[in-house]
Amino acid sequence: MKSLRFDVLAAAVAAVLAVAAHAQDKKPVTPAEMNYQAGGSPLANEPMYQSTNPKAPPMTQAEFDRARQIYFERCAGCHGVLRKGATGKPLTPDLTLGKGTDYLKVFIAYGSAAGMPNWLTSGEMDEKTVDLMARYIQHDPPTPPEFGLEQMKATWKVIVPPEQRPKKKMNNYNIDNIFSTTLRDTGEVALIDGDTKKIINIVKTGYAVHISRLSASGRYLYVIGRDGKINMIDLWMEKPDNVAEVRIGLEARSVDTSKFKGYEDKLAIAGSYWPPQFTIMKGDTLEPLKIVATRGMTVDTQEYHPEPRVASIVASHYKPEFVVNVKETGKTLLVDYSNIDALKITEIGTARFLHDGGFDSTKRYFMVAANQSNKIAAVDMKEGKLQALIDVGKIPHPGRGANFVHPKYGPVWSTGHLGDETVSLIGTDPVKNKQYAFKEVAKLKGQGGGSLFLKTHPKSQHLYVDTPLNPDPKISQSVAVFDIKNLDKGYTVLPIAEWAGLKDDGAKRVVQPEFNKAGDEVWFAVWSAKNKESALVVVDDKTLKLKAVIKDPKLITPTGHFNVYNTQRDVY
């Protein structure tokens, strides 16, 4: 029988989809969350094999390659690399073939109340592209290539061998107050002198550097791009620059180094989204030594998951251990690096889907967001066990979080949320404030959802909360500031983007508050598109007044920025 016309089918099916999806999920995805998931994957450009499914509608090789690229640019963040589902529903042929092309076209075109974007009516796709994607998701999902030791070593470069590096600091910079700022779309980081506010060097790195981390000594800066490339930068050089690099996977997010006494700077570790694994390397050259896969069973349903991505990694201050958080399986791994030839891993079941996190003020407890579970897991680094699972708001995204002493509840750690306007405060003192420990003791109401980072400092009385992914420009272009001594009075709004004085009409999203070493300045990135002007804005923490604006044509899409001293010592 001839298929029904797309436009005839649309109205009826779209209404049914919206109601059914909402009834099934009951957790509509916010615009802020959709913005967060929309970041393109480096896997879009990786060659993959097209299998032939005789039951699927025909596609030419050119159509398949185009659809695959679109999928990894727009869809993989929600539905997974292998289409097994993550934030979004699974899209494997056993589910999609029975729906048929016409049904899938309507779903893609009009979206759903459960958070599927309306790709056609929003103007993001035309009808031809919608048809292409409806056919593509009925085919077997292509598997990206693996990336093992042979592939890693082919990318490994020691640009300046350790024996040829400076024996002492060869510059006059106050290294403790250098900021490493991600220039997302150019594949670079800007090293900025926090004292003079001048750019020291623009260093070539991987694409869209996710984080910057410091060696235990503070001499070496390690950055990792979303494309899995790690760059090691020597801050002792006359002009700090790359001394080693390696690619540890095809898509990645996390890197850190050994910090425990006796192991300082000996090892580095990085985790990848694809392949799902982590890699231990030599700390001074990035030579890959050990690769460990993370594929395995989920913590809740005990089902096998083929692509559990490695999210955040931190180095314990209590033992020679790396803390590796595996997103889809909901497991926190304590990796004992004292003997990597006889690697011991403590597996702690926490909750899906693990993402980012940081230590409490004592550095004993690691607080990690299980974002789609709306929980924070507290892991005791001294005892090597789960301390608590704490319910918080919708889709917590703390970055490293923020520690301060609450007037009533004592020491607390805090997180903002992507999915709602709240800031959750969690007690972290089981000794003097046992009744409040590892409980959500308070909720602050912020400007709105779409928060990625919040920050304070031991010398500050302010808590700064960004909202760069909020759909309202007034909210995404400003920050909320709370007075820690008087939280009940609400927040003050700082118009950071307005203070930047940018000439054009870019997005001007304000992201990631970061303190200087002294704790008396807060830096913000004002992030616009790569063809628009961006800037960094520095605020006086005592007065909440504008202190400086850093502009330069080379500051293209600045996003994350990390102060050397605070990052090295886990001060947040």
Side-chain angles (χ1 to χ4, degrees):
M1 178 183 288
K2 187 177 180 180
S3 63
L4 293 172
R5 281 180 52 208
F6 174 58
D7 54 351
V8 173
L9 198 67
V13 178
V16 172
L17 282 174
V19 173
H22 189 67
Q24 180 184 17
D25 202 312
K26 294 187 179 179
K27 289 194 300 183
V29 178
T30 62
E33 186 187 1
M34 283 190 279
N35 287 339
Y36 179 69
Q37 297 288 358
S41 165
L43 294 172
N45 297 315
E46 292 293 332
M48 298 179 201
Y49 173 70
Q50 178 186 358
S51 63
T52 303
N53 187 333
K55 296 181 181 179
M59 297 189 80
T60 66
Q61 182 68 50
E63 286 180 321
F64 183 87
D65 289 341
R66 175 62 183 145
R68 179 182 60 77
Q69 182 180 27
I70 292 170
Y71 179 83
F72 283 103
E73 288 175 347
R74 302 290 184 87
C75 316
C78 280
H79 296 286
V81 170
L82 301 178
R83 307 211 305 256
K84 295 285 187 179
T87 305
K89 300 297 182 185
L91 294 175
T92 46
D94 58 312
L95 301 172
T96 56
L97 276 169
K99 302 294 185 185
T101 302
D102 286 328
Y103 180 98
L104 295 170
K105 282 166 64 176
V106 173
F107 192 80
I108 294 168
Y110 292 90
S112 80
M116 175 71 176
N118 53 323
W119 293 109
L120 178 70
T121 55
S122 68
E124 295 285 339
M125 294 183 185
D126 57 22
E127 287 193 20
K128 185 176 180 180
T129 306
V130 168
D131 175 77
L132 179 73
M133 298 309 296
R135 287 183 287 132
Y136 172 76
I137 60 175
Q138 296 175 73
H139 284 255
D140 295 336
T143 302
E146 298 295 320
F147 205 82
L149 189 63
E150 181 182 358
Q151 289 80 14
M152 289 183 197
K153 287 204 169 183
T155 71
W156 174 47
K157 297 177 184 177
V158 180
I159 300 162
V160 182
E163 62 273 14
Q164 296 178 21
R165 296 172 194 166
K167 307 304 180 189
K168 62 180 181 178
K169 189 163 80 79
M170 301 299 291
N171 58 61
N172 294 321
Y173 299 117
N174 177 9
I175 286 179
D176 279 349
N177 204 33
I178 287 176
F179 286 75
S180 173
T181 297
T182 296
L183 305 181
R184 187 185 187 282
D185 292 333
T186 62
E188 297 169 323
V189 294
L191 303 180
I192 302 176
D193 186 334
D195 294 347
T196 65
K197 314 295 189 291
K198 302 293 186 184
I199 295 175
I200 296 169
N201 196 14
I202 303 287
V203 181
K204 282 290 180 185
T205 62
Y207 167 72
V209 162
H210 196 65
I211 55 172
S212 298
R213 290 290 173 259
L214 273 298
S215 64
S217 66
R219 172 177 179 173
Y220 292 110
L221 176 72
Y222 299 78
V223 301
I224 187 165
R226 290 192 175 213
D227 57 0
K229 184 179 179 182
I230 304 172
N231 289 82
M232 180 181 178
I233 299 167
D234 187 354
L235 299 177
W236 277 15
M237 295 170 69
E238 186 175 350
K239 187 176 185 179
D241 210 336
N242 285 318
V243 292
E245 64 181 45
V246 70
R247 194 177 184 194
I248 52 83
L250 301 177
E251 184 170 4
R253 295 293 188 278
S254 49
V255 67
D256 214 329
T257 63
S258 51
K259 302 270 196 318
F260 191 68
K261 186 176 181 180
Y263 296 90
E264 297 95 335
D265 299 357
K266 299 292 186 185
L267 297 168
I269 184 173
S272 54
Y273 270 24
W274 190 271
Q277 61 194 31
F278 62 85
T279 303
I280 298 174
M281 300 155 281
K282 284 187 178 180
D284 60 350
T285 65
L286 298 181
E287 179 184 359
L289 301 174
K290 186 90 171 181
I291 304 170
V292 180
T294 55
R295 293 177 172 101
M297 314 308 283
T298 61
V299 69
D300 43 13
T301 58
Q302 303 280 303
E303 294 177 283
Y304 178 75
H305 200 291
E307 55 166 308
R309 298 173 283 183
V310 176
S312 53
I313 296 177
V314 296
S316 172
H317 297 268
Y318 274 81
K319 299 176 184 178
E321 290 179 335
F322 293 122
V323 186
V324 177
N325 295 284
V326 187
K327 186 183 288 281
E328 278 75 16
T329 52
K331 294 177 180 179
T332 296
L333 309 179
L334 306 183
V335 180
D336 183 340
Y337 54 73
S338 60
N339 182 357
I340 66 169
D341 293 322
L343 202 65
K344 296 177 182 177
I345 300 177
T346 301
E347 180 185 289
I348 300 174
T350 47
R352 302 169 75 188
F353 294 74
L354 296 178
H355 195 62
D356 53 350
F359 291 110
D360 79 307
S361 58
T362 68
K363 300 178 177 60
R364 173 170 175 173
Y365 301 99
F366 179 65
M367 315 290 287
V368 59
N371 53 22
Q372 290 299 324
S373 298
N374 301 330
K375 296 179 186 296
I376 297 293
V379 179
D380 186 338
M381 303 308 304
K382 183 177 181 181
E383 299 296 332
K385 66 178 185 179
L386 177 67
Q387 181 70 29
L389 281 176
I390 305 120
D391 291 322
V392 290
K394 184 178 165 98
I395 316 166
H397 194 288
R400 291 303 212 188
N403 291 296
F404 61 92
V405 178
H406 190 281
K408 177 179 179 182
Y409 305 115
V412 297
W413 179 91
S414 51
T415 179
H417 298 86
L418 272 163
D420 66 37
E421 75 277 12
T422 64
V423 175
S424 293
L425 308 185
I426 296 170
T428 57
D429 179 11
V431 179
K432 295 182 179 179
N433 293 275
K434 187 175 180 179
Q435 69 273 37
Y436 304 127
F438 307 108
K439 300 174 183 175
E440 185 187 55
V441 294
K443 274 187 188 293
L444 309 179
K445 185 175 181 180
Q447 289 199 88
S451 176
L452 290 180
F453 303 100
L454 75 175
K455 193 65 66 77
T456 188
H457 188 278
K459 295 182 180 178
S460 173
Q461 289 303 313
H462 295 122
L463 173 67
Y464 297 82
V465 184
D466 72 12
T467 42
L469 297 185
N470 194 284
D472 184 344
K474 290 183 180 178
I475 296 176
S476 66
Q477 295 180 7
S478 61
V479 296
V481 187
F482 293 88
D483 182 344
I484 290 171
K485 292 183 176 179
N486 190 4
L487 293 167
D488 291 338
K489 77 174 185 180
Y491 56 83
T492 299
V493 176
L494 302 187
I496 302 296
E498 180 182 320
W499 287 350
L502 301 178
K503 297 188 294 289
D504 57 38
D505 59 349
K508 304 175 188 175
R509 290 168 291 207
V510 174
V511 63
Q512 195 161 348
E514 176 76 352
F515 278 84
N516 63 344
K517 178 189 176 183
D520 58 9
E521 290 179 356
V522 193
W523 292 40
F524 299 90
V526 183
W527 167 28
S528 287
K530 61 184 177 181
N531 61 342
K532 303 287 184 180
E533 188 180 26
S534 293
L536 299 176
V537 170
V538 182
V539 172
D540 186 310
D541 178 60
K542 302 296 186 228
T543 65
L544 301 184
K545 302 295 185 184
L546 175 65
K547 188 168 185 179
V549 177
I550 304 171
K551 293 182 184 177
D552 192 289
K554 296 187 290 292
L555 289 178
I556 298 169
T557 58
T559 51
H561 41 281
F562 303 85
N563 174 265
V564 164
Y565 183 90
N566 295 330
T567 303
Q568 177 190 356
R569 292 166 173 79
D570 289 304
V571 176
Y572 32 80

